[in-house]
Amino acid sequence: MTDALRPLPGADSLSPEVVAWFRDTVFILGPFPALSQTFIYREFDAISALGLPVNVLSTGRRRPDAPHLTETLRDIEKRALHLEHNSTRVLSSMGARLGSREVRETLRWMMGFPHRTPGHRARAAAAVLVAAYFMPELARRGIRYVHSHFAGFQTEIAMSLSRLLDVPYGCTWHAYGIYRDRNILEQKVAGARVVLSCTRHNVEHLRRLRPSDQDRIHLAYHGLDLARIPEAPPITPEAIPTVLAIGRLVAKKGFRHLVRAADLLKQEGHRFEVRFLGEGPDRRALEALIHELGLHDEVVFLGAKPNAEVFREVAASRVIAVPSVITPDGDVDGLPNVILEAMSMGRPVVGSRLSGISEVVFPGETGFLTEPGNARELATHLGDLLEDAALAQALGRNARNLIVRDFDIRKNVRNVIRYIADG
């Protein structure tokens, strides 16, 4: 992303009350900016394009000159409140705030929740101190609503600020906090003005968790700025078709099953190349498996790449593989952004029948689904697309149409605004 969104049609239809609400809202993030959170930043860009202010409080500062930031986001970053780590001034200020009766009472209140582990309890105490540190400035700015992204530390800060400032809080949650972190989720939902999540699977899970609060839990799909995504060439027969896998090299991505599927494809005589885009702690183990199976000519690691290079790789691919799994500690993908971007470029997806993936990958329509961890089934569907360019092209065309219909950021962001402003 390099340029801000153009003002959206109908921007003047937003009421003065909505504009005022966003002026007095602060979004709580982790380290900002972070390359892995572009799905959030697209939303901020689209909110700004409608003429609404975006105020950010972040728990850490990253380099603001990252090339993926638009001018709008650079401006948001300059105005953001950042927690400066290892700052004597910050630590001294937090210590001084503990002398405040309302901060001590908020700390006792937070410690009264049934935190999952001692580590979660300590983190929640830190959230109160962070909230206390920012409270005077947020009060000075007249903030009357706090909205967190992510269900863990950020929402614990939002809860604390809500109590200290006597304002409501809301949240937008993603898969990690819901399924792996899970700290005091029920209590967080119970106290929130609104809870948004980016897949129907997540929303249904949270509604089952708190049936009495289901009217405040809403689906808010992330959107794509389709004008910024390059048009990909049609899929045509090529000598060596490519299977592309994009994401951090971590267990929940299930990439070892893709390597085993590649071994099966090779044994069956398919000509292909599997290309991995991304880095992560599992790279060494994946390379060892590739060496064991003798797949050096079929599997390539490209490392992490900026958006422009990712788009070039998608355009050159036949099919995108997303073999996600649930890890023993509950970590799982939601609806990986790479699926939406690849589908928007007319590429079919072979993904796991898991979480939000099945909300966009429809067997025989936009791609194929496999059981998580089933390398044999994964190889079968990949093989079908490797051998049939016309089928891949037809599924890719359907995939593109679905994204245009349901995932245009210019449409989806209006739902987010409505939920945040109206509760």
Side-chain angles (χ1 to χ4, degrees), residues 56-128:
V56 167
L57 183 161
S58 86
T59 60
R61 186 192 295 268
R62 294 275 174 86
R63 282 177 43 187
D65 58 345
H68 64 288
L69 291 184
T70 64
E71 288 304 314
T72 299
L73 287 164
R74 291 176 193 276
D75 181 61
I76 291 171
E77 194 280 333
K78 289 176 184 175
R79 294 184 286 104
L81 294 172
H82 295 278
L83 182 66
E84 303 293 347
H85 292 285
N86 301 318
S87 165
T88 302
R89 178 179 60 81
V90 171
L91 294 174
S92 174
S93 175
M94 286 182 176
R97 300 275 157 75
L98 280 173
S100 161
R101 178 179 57 81
E102 58 187 341
V103 172
R104 293 199 305 272
E105 288 180 353
T106 299
L107 185 59
R108 282 195 293 271
W109 168 77
M110 180 64 80
M111 293 299 94
F113 289 122
H115 298 282
R116 288 186 60 228
T117 67
H120 285 103
R121 182 175 295 275
R123 185 186 71 184
V128 174

Side-chain angles (χ1 to χ4, degrees), residues 204-351:
E204 291 172 353
H205 175 81
L206 292 169
R207 286 177 174 171
R208 286 192 299 271
L209 188 69
R210 290 286 304 183
S212 60
D213 296 317
Q214 60 181 309
D215 290 345
R216 293 185 286 112
I217 304 169
H218 303 286
L219 172 65
Y221 278 131
H222 297 307
L224 299 178
D225 180 10
L226 297 172
R228 288 200 190 125
I229 295 177
E231 184 177 351
I235 295 173
T236 56
E238 62 263 61
I240 304 180
T242 298
V243 176
L244 185 64
I246 307 171
R248 290 194 71 230
L249 306 182
V250 294
K252 72 176 180 179
K253 296 298 182 181
F255 288 150
R256 64 188 179 92
H257 304 296
L258 178 55
V259 173
R260 294 201 175 276
D263 182 47
L264 295 171
L265 289 168
K266 182 179 181 180
Q267 292 177 36
E268 294 167 359
H270 294 279
R271 289 173 58 80
F272 66 94
E273 185 174 67
V274 174
R275 295 167 74 82
F276 283 100
L277 269 174
E279 284 290 355
D282 283 3
R283 176 160 179 169
R284 184 170 295 181
L286 290 170
E287 288 176 330
L289 181 58
I290 289 162
H291 177 76
E292 174 190 332
L293 299 174
L295 294 171
H296 300 95
D297 294 334
E298 288 78 21
V299 181
V300 177
F301 288 95
L302 303 175
K305 299 291 182 183
N307 273 1
E309 292 187 44
V310 172
F311 289 144
R312 280 196 289 272
E313 288 292 331
V314 172
S317 68
R318 171 72 63 87
V319 56
I320 310 302
V322 187
S324 305
V325 297
I326 302 175
T327 64
D329 62 0
D331 200 9
V332 62
D333 272 328
L335 177 52
N337 199 56
V338 297
I339 292 181
L340 304 181
E341 291 185 341
M343 289 175 63
S344 77
M345 295 180 69
R347 294 300 181 262
V349 173
V350 177

Side-chain angles (χ1 to χ4, degrees), residues 106-177:
T106 299
L107 185 59
R108 282 195 293 271
W109 168 77
M110 180 64 80
M111 293 299 94
F113 289 122
H115 298 282
R116 288 186 60 228
T117 67
H120 285 103
R121 182 175 295 275
R123 185 186 71 184
V128 174
L129 294 180
V130 170
Y133 172 74
F134 284 113
M135 176 183 65
E137 177 60 22
L138 295 178
R140 186 189 70 79
R141 296 188 183 192
I143 293 300
R144 54 178 172 149
Y145 174 68
V146 292
H147 191 93
S148 65
H149 271 276
F150 306 106
F153 187 46
Q154 289 77 19
T155 294
E156 287 152 19
I157 294 171
M159 295 168 70
S160 303
L161 282 170
S162 172
R163 191 170 177 88
L164 290 168
L165 294 170
D166 192 24
V167 301
Y169 76 90
C171 17
T172 298
W173 290 349
H174 314 285
Y176 180 91

